[in-house]
């Protein structure tokens, strides 16, 4: 009799586990259903509970019911997302693997039929095979879908590689073919276009490491933890046969550009303990007037306490004593109270026409009245302050009187600047008046300039024009890099000096760089409003309607992702609970999905432009965030952050994702939107590289780039490289031979793409994250070198290192 037979304990445990898994879908599935979401999870939960109960009582009907659950899931998935393998994975992958176990000889083979017999028969074998086939099928579909996202809807422009690089001839320091890389972006135009042509599509597959230099600068105790970030983001500059760059802790190093051997090193030895962000994107170069000491100078900054600006003799690495006070300028002058870690510079200053122009990074979202975002222009020869553009003063370049300080809390320009020396303009990307997420107390000048690109006169610091990319910014949509300059033909075929400004929302604003007027149409588009008491909202936002935007379409419930059906279900619940009405959905007390959010579609690395063919290349990332506004009482009572007595008092231990916004009615918690197992809640691709024709305003090609290999912190790094397309931090380099060089991706790979169609021509794994922008030049030995910093990025959790790596073709005879 059935009740008398022995029941293997594995069958009972498997049945109980199946019931528990079913409840894990059923109960939250009912919740999702009440929120207006899919009924699938509740139905699947019922099926699993019933199948588990049958299995636990040694009834083979449980196997058939589990098979029916799988078949129903496949039908539902195909009806919802088609054969998109990555979107099929959450509801099917884990159940398929579990199905192999259920149909195995240890479960199905040990269960008894109605006659009391147990055997591993053809049905069990077929079930195992079907589950395994389903598992493989999803990943094959995933690979196929990734390949299908390698699209090229428009042809590569068949226009000759002609035309000037904007601003280069007018700046005698860097002419085409001079083999110099004197600015972060190669030239003041910031296009990252290079003329060396030895490496081509025909030979790039033979690239090899020519040399590797180790800086010795690695995270110190406490850095890259507790919300702190350590990132090696530097792009070296090249002057003569030397490379110059800075490390995250601000050492400045000179290398022989051909051999990679150290020539000299300067260590400011600042106190960095209060900094939550250790990064330095590069140094600048200045040629002093004839007869001045230190004829060739390296300009850099120290992010320690106090933050300083200094100049070094490019030949010796010694401080230029005639600059500032024994080579150093204290950047706290005129800034008022600046606690350690609240203000320093991460990007190389723009140095041109005897001016050093910079603002600074501000530890934003901590309090009202933070350090000023003033833009300062220093005499590059003497270090004296030549002008300061303080938007709240009249006139804006009015010198400070004794005892005065620059206006606190104004939008700052922390990213890399660009300039047109012929027009005598520097282009400043401005951020938001901090705190970022509540604007109910902002001043008129804050509203006028936040998230704007501003053109200043290099000589005087007076404004020539400004263009606002976000009105009343409540999302931390600051401009993280200056525009790239390019000349474009107008309707009559006349070449117009233009610029392309990227932003975190994925817009491409193309402006006349002489006037700031849109070169391609910009419309004011209605956007969602909010309901925070004391806040007001801009009814419209500017969108560059004639240019492709870099965003993905707004996600739907079917775009929710996860490693298993359980975290996908959790993401779907959040999707329905949180407020999301597309781009510019404002923060709310009930929670908002930020897609994109403060990390943006494109961040501090910006775009790369081939100015001769007028094609733009850009890396884009898709990481949605959750933004939860809280009252100050709630934030303090829940321990989200600590109280603070105000300026002049020690600041509490920082919590990176919890923004107290002291002095305002609300704080806010901003964090990546991840499932319960750490997978993003948005389905792949998570990163793309795109090429856009700036003349026809069409996408030339777009591809998912990067895999899951090496993604994740420490021991949790993924060992498998699934081609989902992955997040990136870092820019690219374009050469006259139509090669696109880049590290950037979180999988720690270095790649070379055919810029004409996006195909990968060369790929190698780096020792750490290559989350910086590469540069190139020809060495004394006649070889073309491509150099990139390989040291990781704290935000992406890529592996830290201390390498500067040069790639080149093998020497002749090797």
């Amino acid at each position: 009799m059935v009740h008398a037979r022995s029941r293997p304990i594995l069958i009972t445990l498997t049945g109980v586990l199946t019931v528990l898994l079913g409840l894990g879908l059923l109960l939250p599935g009912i919740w999702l259903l009440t929120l207006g979401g899919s009924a699938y999870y509740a139905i699947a939960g019922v099926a699993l509970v019933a199948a588990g109960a049958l299995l636990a009582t040694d009834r083979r009907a449980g196997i058939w019911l589990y098979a029916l659950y799988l078949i129903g899931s496949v039908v539902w998935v195909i009806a919802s997302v088609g054969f998109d393998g990555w979107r099929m994975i959450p509801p099917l992958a884990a159940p398929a693997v579990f199905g192999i176990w259920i149909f195995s000889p240890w479960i199905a083979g040990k269960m008894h039929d109605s006659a009391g017999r147990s055997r591993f028969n053809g049905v069990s074998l077929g079930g195992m095979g079907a589950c395994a086939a389903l598992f493989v099928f999803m990943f094959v579909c995933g690979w196929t879908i990734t390949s299908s996202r390698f699209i090229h809807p428009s042809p590569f422009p068949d226009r000759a590689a002609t035309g000037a690089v904007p601003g280069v001839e007018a700046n005698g320091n860097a002419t085409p073919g001079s083999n110099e890389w004197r600015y972060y972006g190669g030239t003041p135009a910031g296009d990252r276009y290079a003329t060396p042509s030895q490496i081509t599509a025909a030979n790039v597959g033979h690239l090899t490491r020519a040399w590797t230099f180790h800086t010795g600068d690695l995270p110190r105790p406490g850095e890259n933890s507790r919300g702190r970030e350590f990132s090696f983001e530097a792009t070296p500059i090249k002057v003569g046969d030397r490379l110059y760059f800075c490390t995250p802790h601000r050492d400045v190093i000179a290398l022989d550009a051909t051999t990679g051997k150290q020539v000299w090193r300067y260590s400011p030895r600042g106190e960095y303990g209060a900094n939550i962000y250790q990064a330095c994107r590069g140094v600048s170069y200045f040629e002093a007037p004839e007869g001045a000491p230190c004829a060739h100078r390296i300009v850099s900054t120290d992010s320690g306490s106090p933050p300083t600006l200094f100049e070094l003799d490019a030949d010796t690495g010694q401080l230029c004593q005639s600059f500032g006070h024994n080579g150093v300028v204290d950047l706290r002058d005129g800034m008022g109270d600046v606690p350690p870690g609240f203000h320093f510079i991460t990007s190389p200053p723009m140095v041109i026409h005897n001016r050093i122009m910079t603002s600074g990074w501000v530890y934003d979202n901590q309090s009202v009245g933070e350090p000023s975002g003033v833009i300062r222009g220093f005499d590059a020869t003497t270090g004296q302050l030549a002008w300061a553009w303080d938007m709240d003063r009249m006139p804006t370049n009015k010198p400070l009187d004794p005892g005065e300080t620059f206006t606190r809390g104004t939008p700052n320009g922390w990213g890399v600047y660009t300039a047109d020396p012929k027009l005598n303009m520097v282009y400043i990307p401005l951020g938001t008046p901090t705190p970022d997420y509540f604007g109910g107390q902002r001043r008129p000048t804050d509203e006028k300039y936040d998230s704007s690109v501003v053109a200043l006169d290099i000589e005087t610091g007076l404004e020539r024009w400004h263009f606002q990319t976000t009105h009343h910014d409540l999302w931390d949509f600051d401009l993280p890099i200056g525009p790239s300059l390019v000349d474009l033909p107008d309707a009559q075929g006349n070449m117009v000096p233009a610029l392309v400004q990227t932003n975190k929302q994925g817009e491409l604003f193309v402006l006349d760089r002489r006037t700031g007027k849109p070169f391609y149409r910009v419309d004011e588009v209605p956007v969602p409003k909010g309901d925070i008491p004391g806040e007001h909202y801009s009814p419209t936002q500017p969108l560059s309607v004639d240019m492709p935007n870099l965003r993905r379409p707004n996600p739907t419930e079917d775009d929710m992702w996860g490693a298993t059906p359980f975290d996908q279900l959790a993401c779907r619940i959040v999707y329905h609970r949180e407020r999301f009405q597309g781009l510019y959905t404002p923060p709310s007390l009930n929670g908002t999905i930020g897609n994109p959010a403060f990390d943006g579609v494109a961040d501090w690395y910006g775009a790369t432009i081939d100015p001769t063919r007028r094609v733009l290349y850009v890396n884009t990332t898709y990481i949605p965030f959750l933004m939860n506004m809280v009252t100050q009482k709630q934030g303090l009572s829940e321990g989200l952050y600590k109280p603070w007595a105000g300026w002049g008092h020690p600041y509490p231990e920082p919590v990176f994702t919890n923004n107290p916004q002291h002095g305002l009615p609300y704080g806010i918690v901003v964090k990546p939107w991840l499932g319960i197992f750490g997978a993003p809640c948005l389905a792949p691709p998570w990163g793309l590289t795109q090429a856009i024709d700036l003349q026809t305003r069409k996408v030339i090609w777009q591809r998912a780039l990067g895999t899951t290999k090496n993604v994740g912190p420490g021991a949790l790094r993924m060992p498998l490289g699934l081609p989902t397309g992955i997040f990136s931090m870092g820019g690219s380099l374009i050469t006259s031979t139509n090669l696109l060089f880049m590290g950037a991706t979180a999988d720690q790979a270095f790649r070379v793409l055919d810029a004409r169609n996006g195909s990968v021509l060369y790929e190698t794994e780096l020792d750490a994250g290559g989350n910086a922008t590469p540069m190139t030049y020809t060495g004394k030995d006649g070889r073309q070198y491509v150099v990139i910093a390989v040291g990781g990025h704290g935000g992406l959790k890529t592996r830290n290192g201390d390498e500067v790596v040069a790639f080149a073709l093998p020497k002749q005879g090797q």
Side-chain angles (χ1 to χ4, degrees):
M1 296 179 63
V2 173
H3 65 271
R5 63 184 181 231
S6 174
R7 184 184 309 144
I9 187 64
L10 275 180
I11 294 177
T12 302
L13 292 177
T14 299
V16 171
L17 177 59
T18 305
V19 169
L20 294 176
L21 293 175
L23 291 174
L25 291 181
L26 174 60
L27 300 179
I30 294 173
W31 186 11
L32 176 64
L33 193 58
T34 64
L35 294 171
S38 171
Y40 162 77
Y41 297 90
I43 296 172
V46 170
L48 282 177
V49 168
L54 291 169
L55 290 171
T57 54
D58 197 16
R59 289 176 170 81
R60 283 202 168 194
I63 296 176
W64 293 107
L65 185 54
Y66 192 87
L68 183 63
Y69 152 70
L70 281 179
I71 293 170
S73 297
V74 170
V75 172
W76 174 76
V77 166
I78 293 175
S80 301
V81 301
F83 291 95
D84 185 330
W86 301 129
R87 297 173 198 236
M88 297 172 75
I89 283 174
L92 296 181
V97 172
F98 193 56
I100 294 174
W101 170 252
I102 286 180
F103 284 101
S104 71
W106 302 281
I107 303 301
K110 296 294 185 181
M111 296 188 72
H112 297 84
D113 59 17
S114 58
R117 295 170 298 184
S118 64
R119 62 175 181 264
F120 185 60
N121 55 24
V123 173
S124 300
L125 184 62
M128 287 183 66
C131 291
L134 176 62
F135 185 77
V136 172
F137 174 75
M138 285 181 294
F139 283 93
V140 170
C141 282
W143 249 273
T144 304
I145 289 296
T146 302
S147 299
S148 72
R149 288 201 173 98
F150 180 4
I151 61 172
H152 37 89
S154 299
F156 191 75
D158 189 23
R159 59 182 76 104
T162 59
V165 180
V168 173
E169 287 85 348
N171 171 30
N173 288 335
T175 57
S178 68
N179 198 33
E180 301 277 87
W181 193 278
R182 297 195 174 190
Y183 293 84
Y184 174 86
T187 70
D191 46 49
R192 305 197 288 251
Y193 171 79
T195 56
S197 57
Q198 184 182 80
I199 304 173
T200 67
N203 61 29
V204 68
H206 300 295
L207 275 185
T208 185
R209 287 195 183 202
W211 52 258
T212 299
F213 175 79
H214 291 271
T215 70
D217 192 359
L218 292 166
R220 299 171 184 174
E223 296 177 349
N224 246 7
S225 63
R226 295 180 287 115
R228 299 177 185 269
E229 293 185 9
F230 177 95
S231 305
F232 193 10
E233 300 172 348
T235 296
I237 61 173
K238 178 181 181 289
V239 183
D241 193 50
R242 288 187 183 177
L243 299 180
Y244 304 92
F245 64 95
C246 52
T247 71
H249 287 109
R250 299 315 180 101
D251 285 10
V252 179
I253 299 174
L255 302 181
D256 183 293
T258 303
T259 67
K261 302 297 184 182
Q262 180 173 308
V263 179
W264 54 255
R265 182 180 191 131
Y266 173 80
S267 298
R269 304 190 185 282
E271 172 52 54
Y272 304 103
N275 293 3
I276 65 166
Y277 190 51
Q278 300 295 349
C280 182
R281 297 188 185 93
V283 299
S284 304
Y285 177 73
F286 173 63
E287 286 189 357
E290 186 175 351
C294 276
H296 309 104
R297 307 185 185 186
I298 298 301
V299 183
S300 191
T301 59
D302 176 15
S303 65
S305 182
T308 61
L309 170 70
F310 59 88
E311 286 190 346
L312 303 172
D313 188 318
D315 299 321
T316 67
Q318 301 297 311
L319 286 169
C320 294
Q321 297 297 316
S322 61
F323 179 81
H325 180 69
N326 296 327
V328 177
V329 172
D330 190 333
L331 292 174
R332 294 175 302 179
D333 290 348
M335 296 293 286
D337 195 341
V338 181
F342 262 80
H343 182 274
F344 51 85
I345 297 170
T346 53
S347 298
M350 171 54 69
V351 182
I352 200 166
H353 289 350
N354 197 40
R355 289 288 181 267
I356 301 172
M357 291 161 285
T358 186
S359 176
W361 181 90
V362 173
Y363 185 16
D364 52 2
N365 300 314
Q366 303 308 300
S367 175
V368 297
E370 296 214 9
S372 177
V374 59
I375 312 298
R376 288 181 279 185
F378 296 90
D379 185 301
T381 305
T382 67
Q384 294 296 311
L385 183 65
W387 52 259
W389 184 75
D390 184 345
M391 65 183 67
D392 209 42
R393 295 174 66 82
M394 293 299 294
T396 52
N397 66 347
K398 180 180 181 292
L400 293 177
D401 291 328
E404 281 190 310
T405 59
F406 297 115
T407 307
R408 296 183 72 88
T410 52
N412 60 315
W414 59 269
V416 175
Y417 302 169
T418 51
D420 188 327
K422 185 176 181 181
L423 294 175
N424 200 41
M425 290 188 198
V426 60
Y427 302 99
I428 313 291
L430 288 183
T432 53
T434 186
D436 299 337
Y437 295 99
F438 180 83
Q441 299 178 12
R442 290 180 185 166
R443 300 157 296 197
T445 48
D446 297 331
E447 303 284 16
K448 180 179 178 181
Y449 287 107
D450 73 339
S451 302
S452 297
V453 54
V454 179
L456 300 182
D457 185 284
I458 294 173
E459 181 69 22
T460 66
L462 287 173
E463 179 185 335
R464 303 277 282 273
W465 58 260
H466 80 276
F467 177 87
Q468 190 168 57
T469 63
T470 306
H471 307 318
H472 193 64
D473 189 345
L474 302 174
W475 304 269
D476 196 5
F477 282 161
D478 53 351
L479 293 182
I481 189 170
S484 300
L485 313 188
V486 62
D487 294 344
L488 297 172
D490 62 14
Q492 292 72 43
N494 301 313
M495 298 303 290
V496 174
L499 60 79
V500 183
Q501 179 66 63
T502 58
N503 72 359
K504 293 181 177 180
Q505 300 93 299
E507 292 293 305
L508 296 173
F509 292 101
V510 183
L511 312 176
D512 185 321
R513 67 176 182 268
R514 299 168 299 184
T515 64
K517 302 298 182 183
F519 183 78
Y520 294 137
R521 185 163 60 100
V522 174
D523 284 354
E524 291 289 333
V525 178
V527 294
K529 293 184 179 180
D531 56 4
I532 295 287
E535 183 61 276
H536 60 275
Y537 303 89
S538 175
T540 64
Q541 293 289 350
L543 295 183
S544 183
V545 294
D546 279 353
M547 287 292 292
N549 72 66
L550 307 176
R551 296 183 297 276
R552 286 179 52 173
N554 287 335
T556 66
E557 184 184 339
D558 287 335
D559 291 309
M560 298 301 100
W561 208 76
T564 69
F566 304 100
D567 51 335
Q568 183 187 47
L569 172 56
C571 290
R572 285 179 178 242
I573 290 172
V574 173
Y575 176 80
H576 283 283
R577 289 190 67 201
E578 302 276 311
R579 185 180 182 198
F580 181 68
Q581 297 171 279
L583 181 65
Y584 293 115
T585 303
S588 71
L589 290 170
N590 294 320
T592 295
I593 296 171
N595 183 47
F598 77 96
D599 264 358
V601 175
D603 208 334
W604 52 263
Y605 43 86
T608 295
I609 292 179
D610 180 341
T612 67
R613 294 183 175 87
R614 298 179 283 282
V615 176
L616 176 144
Y617 303 91
V618 63
N619 299 328
T620 51
T621 290
Y622 307 103
I623 308 177
F625 278 68
L626 298 178
M627 304 186 296
N628 293 295
M629 194 79 84
V630 296
T631 64
Q632 288 293 345
K633 180 179 179 180
Q634 178 185 355
L636 293 171
S637 64
E638 294 181 3
L640 298 177
Y641 42 80
K642 297 178 181 179
W644 183 42
W647 302 104
H649 297 269
Y651 195 74
E653 179 72 12
V655 181
F656 193 62
T657 57
N658 297 349
N659 304 290
Q661 302 192 137
H662 292 299
L664 296 179
Y666 309 98
I668 189 169
V669 177
V670 182
K671 59 184 179 181
W673 186 19
L674 305 175
I676 55 180
F677 297 117
C681 277
L682 184 66
W686 299 316
L688 297 174
T689 298
Q690 307 184 50
I692 295 170
D693 189 323
L694 292 173
Q695 192 163 318
T696 64
R697 290 162 284 161
K698 294 181 179 179
V699 175
I700 300 171
W701 55 261
Q702 175 190 96
R703 65 163 302 145
L705 196 65
T707 74
T708 57
K709 187 176 183 181
N710 295 319
V711 174
L716 299 178
R717 296 190 196 280
M718 285 283 290
L720 299 177
L722 305 178
T724 56
I726 205 66
F727 344 106
S728 63
M729 278 288 172
S732 57
L733 159 73
I734 183 68
T735 66
S736 60
T737 54
N738 290 314
L739 295 181
L740 192 69
F741 296 82
M742 56 182 290
T745 50
D747 59 1
Q748 301 177 182
F750 178 75
R751 297 179 176 89
V752 185
L753 278 60
D754 188 322
R756 297 167 297 184
N757 55 36
S759 60
V760 177
L761 302 176
Y762 174 82
E763 181 174 345
T764 187
E765 185 173 330
L766 301 169
D767 297 330
N771 305 118
T773 301
M775 50 84 71
T776 189
Y777 56 89
T778 302
K780 288 186 298 185
D781 57 0
R783 300 165 75 194
Q784 181 182 351
Y785 293 86
V786 179
V787 176
I788 186 169
V790 180
H793 190 278
L796 284 188
K797 304 300 182 185
T798 50
R799 187 179 292 113
N800 286 122
D802 66 342
E803 297 179 352
V804 177
V805 178
F807 292 90
L809 297 174
K811 293 180 180 179
Q812 291 186 355
Q814 289 186 344

